[in-house]
């Protein structure tokens, strides 16, 4: 796709040779068992990036995704497909959309056209309609500006088979190179479909009565908010906050994230079906970690907002040391909007792991009122390191949760009370030679002054997801130990008064 992305891929081929030989010489480390996550979605084989077209229908969550099945680096994009009835177990399904003469199938969304506004339904079946960008590679290579256009496809059998609309593309670019990632919602007050589209350094809103004819309504973002890189994958969501409807626009951006490379910012405001009016121009990040990108929400879920992100970063996604597949999705997160202070019009987007995940875990330890001097062992004899750690503390003090193996590799997740910052230190976490900037400490500000703190960590083979203070600060980071971590401790310099601590393992 973009020239920068092709340049990015080249050094990874070289780096990978090194990583692979390292893994092969080591009899303990089978790449698959070392790195394939246990409760995060990965494709069986091949490359994956953004989640696409996520939709809930008849008890099934559908996750489509950017997919190149023939290789483990970014290539001609398809829409892969997976389904789950509980957001924990995902079943990979046959590929949904293949590249065609118009172009590759880039990111986009899916809606249930309940009222058959598109006329694509048959025999009373409401069509599931996918709206996606088609990226025409020959056009890009020829130096043209019209290579990204929006198309639609529909399914009458709950996403099993798809028919591409004969009149594609339905929204052509006005000769702008970056014109992509349509996220469509039904806007009840105006009885129209609204498409949010990423256009280089801003988002444009289009409306349509039927998903086929689109008119531009407005745009937002030029010279406002974070602009370290190109804007991608927007999502427009409405929340009911104490009876008041407040809108949030998620915008992914690469590079320019708070800890390098890709990240997702959000804008809070009002949307009337035509114009988005932000309440403030403060820059806010949905997740401060380096590895949550292009996250969007499921459609057709009513009031609930569930988001899944791509758990990687364009800085190194093509070079991470997995062999059969590349990239995993984040755990599904429930999004809520909270008002900082009553009537302040200052809102924070908070995320927490969806409650459905609880069914996948068993509690292995539960303790209350621990006054820790400096070390609490968190490793359970049977299951080694926990997959989830939840704690609640009365005072906010420095702490470090350290995951380690006997090969001197360690990952540290902690809090610095002086700087009021959470951090993830993966400088010595394992393999990092695939990208210079991988081995680093990522920081995130604490978003509240509350006396106590609660924290939830989800730990899989190569990822940690931190949700602090009711999801006000979120960080997601990858790591690649050469041998599994077998030890986990909570270490404090000044002791800590834990109200409760609960450890969980996967069932
Ligand atoms: C975001 C992105 C999208 C694009 C897709 C291509 O990661 O660059 O803007 O549609 O990936 O795979």
């Amino acid at each position: 796709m973009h020239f920068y992305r092709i340049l990015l891929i080249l050094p990874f081929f070289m780096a990978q040779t090194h990583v692979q030989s390292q893994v092969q010489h080591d009899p303990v480390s089978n790449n698959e068992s070392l790195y394939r996550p246990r409760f995060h979605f990965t494709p069986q084989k091949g490359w994956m990036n953004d989640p696409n077209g996520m939709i809930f229908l008849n008890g099934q969550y559908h996750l489509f995704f950017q997919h190149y099945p023939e290789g483990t680096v970014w290539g001609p994009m398809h829409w892969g497909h997976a389904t789950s009835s509980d957001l924990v177990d995902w079943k990979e399904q046959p590929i949904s959309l293949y590249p065609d003469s118009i172009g590759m199938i880039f990111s986009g969304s899916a809606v249930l056209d309940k009222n058959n506004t598109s006329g694509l339904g048959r025999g009373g079946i409401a069509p599931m309609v996918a709206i996606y960008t088609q990226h025409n590679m020959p056009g890009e290579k020829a130096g043209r500006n019209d290579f990204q256009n929006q198309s639609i496809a529909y399914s009458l059998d709950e996403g099993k088979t798809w028919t591409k609309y004969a009149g594609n593309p339905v929204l052509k670019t006005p000769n702008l190179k970056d014109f992509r990632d349509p996220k469509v919602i039904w806007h009840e007050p105006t009885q129209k479909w609204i498409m949010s589209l990423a256009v280089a350094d801003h988002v444009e809103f289009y409306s349509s009565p039927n998903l086929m004819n689109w008119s531009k309504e407005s745009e937002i973002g030029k010279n406002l908010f974070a602009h370290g890189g190109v804007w991608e994958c927007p999502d427009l969501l409405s929340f009911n906050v104490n009876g008041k409807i407040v809108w949030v626009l998620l915008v992914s951006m690469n590079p320019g994230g708070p800890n390098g490379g890709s990240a997702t910012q959000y804008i809070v405001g009002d949307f009337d079906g035509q114009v988005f009016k932000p309440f403030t121009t403060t820059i806010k990040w949905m997740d401060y970690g380096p590895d949550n990108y292009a996250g969007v929400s499921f459609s057709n879920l009513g009031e609930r907002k569930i988001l899944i992100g791509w758990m990687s970063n364009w800085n190194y996604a093509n070079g991470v040391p997995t062999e059969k597949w590349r990239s995993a999705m984040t755990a599904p997160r429930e999004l809520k909007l909270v008002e900082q202070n009553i009537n302040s019009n200052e809102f924070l987007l908070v995320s927490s792991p969806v409650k459905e995940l609880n069914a996948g875990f068993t509690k292995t330890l539960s303790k209350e009122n621990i006054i820790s001097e400096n070390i609490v062992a968190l490793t359970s004899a049977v299951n080694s390191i926990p997959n989830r750690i939840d704690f609640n503390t009365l005072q906010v003090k420095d702490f470090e949760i350290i995951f380690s193996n006997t090969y001197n590799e360690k990952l540290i997740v902690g809090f610095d009370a002086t700087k009021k910052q959470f951090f993830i230190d993966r400088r010595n976490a394992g393999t990092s030679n695939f990208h210079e900037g991988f081995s680093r400490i990522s920081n995130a500000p604490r978003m509240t002054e509350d006396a106590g703190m609660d924290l939830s960590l989800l730990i899989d083979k190569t990822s940690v997801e931190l949700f602090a203070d009711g999801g006000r600060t979120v960080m997601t980071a990858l790591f690649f130990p050469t041998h599994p971590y077998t030890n986990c401790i909570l270490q404090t310099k000044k002791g800590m008064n834990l109200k409760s601590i609960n450890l969980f393992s996967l069932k």
Side-chain angles (χ1 to χ4, degrees):
M1 62 171 296
H2 298 283
F3 186 56
Y4 69 79
R5 199 157 286 165
I6 295 163
L7 279 183
L8 273 174
I9 294 171
L10 284 177
F12 292 133
F13 285 119
M14 298 180 288
Q16 227 207 320
T17 327
H18 178 73
V19 172
Q20 281 182 357
S21 59
Q22 190 181 334
V23 171
Q24 272 159 15
H25 290 154
D26 185 344
V28 189
S29 313
N30 167 286
N31 189 278
E32 207 46 23
S33 72
L34 187 57
Y35 294 146
R36 176 83 75 178
R38 294 181 65 200
F39 62 101
H40 290 86
F41 176 75
T42 47
Q44 272 314 304
K45 69 173 184 76
W47 165 269
M48 174 175 82
N49 56 292
D50 315 353
N52 296 147
M54 292 190 292
I55 182 166
F56 178 72
L57 184 61
N58 298 333
Q60 290 291 314
Y61 293 88
H62 293 265
L63 162 66
F64 301 92
F65 52 92
Q66 288 288 277
H67 189 33
Y68 178 42
E70 307 305 330
T72 49
V73 290
W74 189 88
M77 284 292 114
H78 301 54
W79 269 28
H81 185 200
T83 52
S84 171
S85 58
D86 57 9
L87 292 168
V88 181
D89 285 321
W90 291 96
K91 193 167 185 295
E92 197 167 339
Q93 305 289 352
I95 288 174
S96 290
L97 297 171
Y98 287 81
D100 57 36
S101 59
I102 304 178
M104 300 174 181
I105 316 294
F106 269 23
S107 287
S109 49
V111 293
L112 183 69
D113 183 10
K114 285 183 193 150
N115 301 328
N116 199 17
T117 61
S118 61
L120 297 170
R122 294 279 175 279
I125 301 175
M128 190 192 265
V129 181
I131 309 100
Y132 50 93
T133 300
Q134 295 221 261
H135 181 99
N136 189 279
M137 201 47 112
E140 182 187 10
K141 286 198 176 136
R144 300 171 63 104
N145 292 329
D146 59 356
F147 53 84
Q148 292 195 339
N149 299 286
Q150 323 315 316
S151 288
I152 62 176
Y154 62 99
S155 170
L156 300 174
D157 55 7
E158 301 186 14
K160 286 189 195 72
T161 58
W162 290 88
T163 307
K164 286 173 179 157
Y165 173 55
N168 280 338
V170 293
L171 174 60
K172 287 193 184 157
T173 173
N175 269 315
L176 292 168
K177 285 186 190 171
D178 293 303
F179 194 74
R180 61 176 177 275
D181 307 340
K183 178 76 163 82
V184 175
I185 57 164
W186 176 250
H187 188 253
E188 193 60 36
T190 54
Q191 294 285 299
K192 278 185 182 168
W193 297 103
I194 298 292
M195 176 197 290
S196 310
L197 200 70
V199 187
D201 61 352
H202 64 277
V203 167
E204 297 190 353
F205 299 107
Y206 289 78
S207 71
S208 170
N210 57 8
L211 296 165
M212 290 162 179
N213 305 101
W214 293 94
S215 326
K216 184 171 167 182
E217 295 291 349
S218 66
E219 55 183 66
I220 183 175
K222 271 188 193 148
N223 305 316
L224 290 177
F225 313 105
H227 281 285
V230 68
W231 282 23
E232 301 184 309
C233 301
D235 191 4
L236 180 62
L237 305 146
S238 68
F239 291 86
N240 185 327
V241 191
N242 308 322
K244 183 176 166 189
I245 301 299
V246 183
W247 291 81
V248 169
L249 180 64
L250 299 178
V251 184
S252 284
M253 186 184 75
N254 177 63
N259 283 292
S262 323
T264 304
Q265 61 178 323
Y266 67 94
I267 304 168
V268 183
D270 204 13
F271 181 72
D272 61 2
Q274 291 182 306
V275 177
F276 190 104
K277 290 201 185 102
F279 292 158
T280 71
T281 51
T282 322
I283 295 172
K284 296 176 173 175
W285 300 100
M286 181 180 75
D287 184 323
Y288 278 83
D291 297 302
N292 178 5
Y293 194 60
V296 286
S297 61
F298 278 89
S299 73
N300 206 34
L301 256 189
E303 287 288 291
R304 244 186 130 191
K305 312 284 184 247
I306 299 180
L307 176 134
I308 294 180
W310 173 45
M311 198 153 58
S312 199
N313 189 311
W314 279 117
N315 273 351
Y316 41 74
N318 280 283
V320 297
T322 54
E323 285 168 3
K324 269 198 196 163
W325 87 99
R326 272 217 178 86
S327 296
M329 293 301 179
T330 66
R333 296 149 185 215
E334 178 130 18
L335 300 180
K336 293 205 166 125
L337 196 66
V338 295
E339 203 159 7
Q340 277 285 63
N341 304 301
I342 302 297
N343 294 327
S344 65
N345 246 15
E346 256 300 320
F347 294 90
L348 276 185
L349 188 65
V350 302
S351 350
S352 26
V354 291
K355 60 178 188 304
E356 283 84 346
L357 282 185
N358 297 346
F361 294 112
T362 344
K363 207 179 266 184
T364 54
L365 181 123
S366 176
K367 280 192 181 168
E368 291 193 356
N369 304 320
I370 310 174
I371 313 284
S372 75
E373 277 314 315
N374 44 39
I375 290 185
V376 186
L378 302 183
T379 311
S380 105
V382 200
N383 284 310
S384 68
I385 64 164
N387 295 108
R388 177 170 181 154
I389 302 172
D390 287 356
F391 74 63
N392 231 294
T393 168
L394 296 174
Q395 304 120 343
V396 177
K397 290 190 178 174
D398 287 7
F399 68 83
E400 293 189 338
I401 298 175
I402 306 173
F403 302 89
S404 59
N405 57 24
T406 50
Y407 295 79
N408 279 328
E409 293 171 346
K410 60 179 179 184
L411 171 85
I412 312 171
V413 180
F415 183 69
D416 181 328
T418 318
K419 293 186 182 154
K420 297 185 182 168
Q421 272 183 357
F422 295 91
F423 62 89
I424 299 180
D425 179 353
R426 63 180 180 194
R427 284 174 305 170
N428 299 305
T431 302
S432 63
N433 56 1
F434 50 86
H435 184 257
E436 218 182 296
F438 186 83
S439 139
R440 62 171 292 151
I441 305 181
S442 297
N443 296 306
R446 185 168 193 230
M447 304 302 281
T448 162
E449 298 281 331
D450 285 0
M453 177 190 284
D454 63 81
L455 190 107
S456 227
L457 281 190
L458 298 179
I459 308 109
D460 207 332
K461 290 187 177 169
T462 60
S463 63
V464 62
E465 295 166 273
L466 171 154
F467 304 87
D469 296 313
R472 282 172 171 73
T473 300
V474 179
M475 296 184 87
T476 304
L478 293 176
F479 50 84
F480 296 94
T482 59
H483 295 74
Y485 295 140
T486 44
N487 196 35
C488 176
I489 56 168
L490 167 64
Q491 182 171 292
T492 63
K493 278 188 214 133
K494 298 171 189 153
M496 209 152 94
N497 195 342
L498 289 177
K499 234 164 95 186
S500 67
I501 182 160
N502 290 303
L503 306 184
F504 304 85
S505 284
L506 270 180
K507 273 185 185 156

